[in-house]
Amino acid sequence: MNITLRFFASVREALATSQEPLTVPEGISTVGQLRAFLIGRGGVWAEALAESRPLRTAYNQVMCEADTALSEACEVAFFPPVTGG
C-alpha cells in the first residue's frame, strides 16, 4: 500500500521535511501502527513522533484516532496541537 505522509509545524522542522511518499510495510494497517513504525526509524523520527509527545493526526485531512485504518493512496498528517488567541 502506498500512502503520503505529511508533517507540520515543529514536527516538520524536526524531520526537515514536509512530506514523504511511503510504501507501508506488511502488517501495518492503522495510523497508530504507522506512527510506531516511524518511531522505529530512530533518531529524530523517534524524538519527533514519540508517544510521549501530544501529537494530532489527520487521515485524508480529517482528524483521526490511532485505530483509524489505512487505505491505498491515503494521506496521513502529524502535527502538534494548535492553540489560538
Side-chain angles (χ1 to χ4, degrees):
M1 165 179 14
N2 295 302
I3 68 170
T4 300
L5 300 172
R6 295 192 41 106
F7 309 104
F8 294 92
S10 60
V11 179
R12 178 186 64 225
E13 292 168 14
L15 299 176
T17 188
S18 62
Q19 67 181 20
E20 175 186 337
L22 178 71
T23 300
V24 179
E26 289 291 322
I28 296 175
S29 61
T30 67
V31 170
Q33 291 171 339
L34 175 64
R35 183 175 179 179
F37 166 75
L38 295 171
I39 290 169
R41 289 178 168 179
V44 295
W45 291 90
E47 293 174 26
L49 299 173
E51 290 293 333
S52 61
R53 290 197 64 197
L55 294 180
R56 304 291 306 213
T57 55
Y59 174 85
N60 290 337
Q61 301 179 4
V62 176
M63 301 303 292
C64 71
E65 300 298 326
D67 62 352
T68 300
L70 300 173
S71 65
E72 180 67 34
C74 71
E75 176 188 275
V76 178
F78 295 93
F79 50 96
V82 178
T83 60

